[in-house]
Amino acid sequence: MTLTELKYIVAVARERHFGKAAEACFVSQPTLSVAIKKLEDELEIKLFERSAGEVTVTPLGEQIVQQAQSVLDQAASIKEIAKRGKDPLAGPLRLGVIYTIGPYLLPDLVRQNIARTPQMPLMLQENFTAKLLDMLRAGEVDCAIMAEPFPDTGLAIAPLYDEPFMAAVPTQHPLAQRESVTSDELKNETMLLLGTGHCFRDHVLEVCPEFARFSSSAEGIRKSFEGSSLETIKHMVAAGMGVTLVPRLSVPQDALKPKARARREAEPMVRYLPVRDAGERDPPTRRVVLAWRRSFTRYEAIAALRNAIYACELPGVKRLS
């Protein structure tokens, strides 16, 4: 049994395809197949069920793949320990970020990271929460910035900040003249949502749960516009197609200045308003956290990343320690 063979079975379990797993491991498919067959013969069990165009992991194979990933993590930690002896922060850090955080945090974060730890470049991966959790488990990323809640996967988690939501409405909308809005007022509007898979969609539906049940009637269709990104949704709002909720960091800085509405009068624009419900002290928020595998041994790298995040401007959010 070799580490290479363990790497191969983890790749096949992830890709569910021998050819794609071979590509990911930079070897030919026959080489990978022979190595896996050798390991199966040695263990005297079948790790994978092979059928036309599909590969599934056997129940016992699932346990062995999990243990193989743990062994690979421990083997990698030996190299990391050696690196840390020379420079605890040496080498890249693979960071995953969900789509509704990446565009608004990463530009400042990358600048802060380069200024503070240039020897630790960030290798960035944007994706959905569910996919990032899979990538964390598979060791494809070292850590990820996500928004709670997500399934308990035994990860180590450090809270970063609480981020309030703001309502985005067209400037010509009656609500645009208000200083704030309530969630009840938003329930009477055409709500524009991110598509399925975005965790921020679920956060919006917590504030306005009735939009979770779209009927087949014309009214239901009117309330079921969906966009692929927050920026697409904002353009739809600017065009007068409805309203939405957005995280505070996604709000352009100049949009909150009093004179911002006076600029570019010919262009459609968006007004951003706080959401304040009577009797509630805090507006709707999401908690943003940093998560990593407990077996990940570069503690200094995690601490350096958190410090770089805290050094970012982060306007309008509540920083957590």
Side-chain angles (χ1 to χ4, degrees):
M1 186 186 306
T2 66
L3 292 177
T4 299
E5 291 167 353
L6 298 184
K7 177 183 173 184
Y8 290 168
I9 66 171
V10 168
V12 172
R14 179 180 66 245
E15 301 292 342
R16 294 294 198 269
H17 191 280
F18 276 76
K20 292 179 181 178
E23 289 179 12
C25 296
F26 304 102
V27 297
S28 67
Q29 183 172 337
T31 297
L32 179 137
S33 297
V34 168
I36 290 178
K37 181 64 167 60
K38 173 178 172 291
L39 182 59
E40 288 181 323
D41 290 343
E42 178 181 345
L43 298 176
E44 298 182 347
I45 63 165
K46 208 168 191 177
L47 297 171
F48 304 103
E49 294 288 350
R50 304 157 176 85
S51 59
E54 186 178 32
V55 175
T56 58
V57 189
T58 64
L60 196 55
E62 288 278 6
Q63 298 179 47
I64 291 174
V65 167
Q66 290 179 12
Q67 186 63 34
Q69 181 62 63
S70 177
V71 171
L72 292 172
D73 284 345
Q74 293 299 321
S77 71
I78 294 174
K79 294 182 180 179
E80 295 299 336
I81 291 170
K83 282 184 182 179
R84 285 166 56 195
K86 300 174 184 177
D87 183 350
L89 300 176
L93 183 69
R94 299 171 298 173
L95 172 65
V97 188
I98 59 174
Y99 291 117
T100 57
I101 291 177
Y104 316 110
L105 175 64
L106 289 180
D108 197 5
L109 175 57
V110 169
R111 284 193 295 270
Q112 294 291 344
N113 187 75
I114 291 173
R116 293 164 172 269
T117 52
Q119 73 276 37
M120 188 185 76
L122 297 178
M123 298 177 64
L124 303 172
Q125 168 72 239
E126 275 190 300
N127 222 308
F128 296 110
T129 299
K131 179 61 177 175
L132 289 179
L133 290 172
D134 288 341
M135 295 177 76
L136 275 170
R137 284 192 290 265
E140 296 175 21
V141 294
D142 301 318
C143 53
I145 299 174
M146 301 179 289
E148 290 183 328
F150 47 82
D152 182 7
T153 56
L155 297 170
I157 294 174
L160 297 174
Y161 55 84
D162 285 340
E163 181 177 20
F165 304 157
M166 296 193 75
V169 302
T171 52
Q172 68 272 25
H173 194 286
L175 288 176
Q177 307 308 314
R178 303 275 299 279
E179 292 301 316
S180 64
V181 297
T182 68
S183 57
D184 283 339
E185 289 170 326
L186 294 176
K187 292 171 184 177
N188 298 319
E189 303 297 328
T190 299
M191 179 65 71
L192 308 179
L193 296 170
L194 286 171
T196 303
H198 289 277
C199 62
F200 192 73
R201 170 193 174 92
D202 301 327
H203 297 152
V204 173
L205 292 177
E206 286 179 10
V207 179
C208 301
E210 66 279 6
F211 292 118
R213 298 181 180 180
F214 297 132
S215 68
S216 58
S217 66
E219 180 69 7
I221 293 172
R222 189 178 75 86
K223 291 182 177 294
S224 65
F225 290 120
E226 293 185 354
S228 60
S229 73
L230 281 176
E231 295 309 307
T232 299
I233 293 288
K234 288 180 188 178
H235 285 297
M236 294 169 72
V237 171
M241 298 177 69
V243 305
T244 194
L245 291 177
V246 298
R248 175 61 179 81
L249 291 185
S250 75
V251 177
Q253 284 294 85
D254 63 352
L256 298 179
K257 297 177 181 178
K259 295 182 179 180
R261 297 195 302 277
R263 300 181 195 164
R264 300 175 296 176
E265 293 180 358
E267 297 182 19
M269 297 187 67
V270 178
R271 179 86 196 280
Y272 297 92
L273 303 168
V275 180
R276 297 195 178 102
D277 290 336
E280 294 189 14
R281 290 181 298 173
D282 299 319
T285 62
R286 67 174 178 179
R287 174 154 294 184
V288 175
V289 303
L290 179 64
W292 64 95
R293 294 185 307 281
R294 294 187 183 276
S295 60
F296 186 61
T297 58
R298 294 180 63 189
Y299 312 116
E300 296 87 351
I302 295 294
L305 178 63
R306 290 181 68 189
N307 289 336
I309 294 170
Y310 290 136
C312 294
E313 191 172 350
L314 302 179
V317 309
K318 180 182 177 183
R319 300 164 190 263
L320 304 170
S321 58

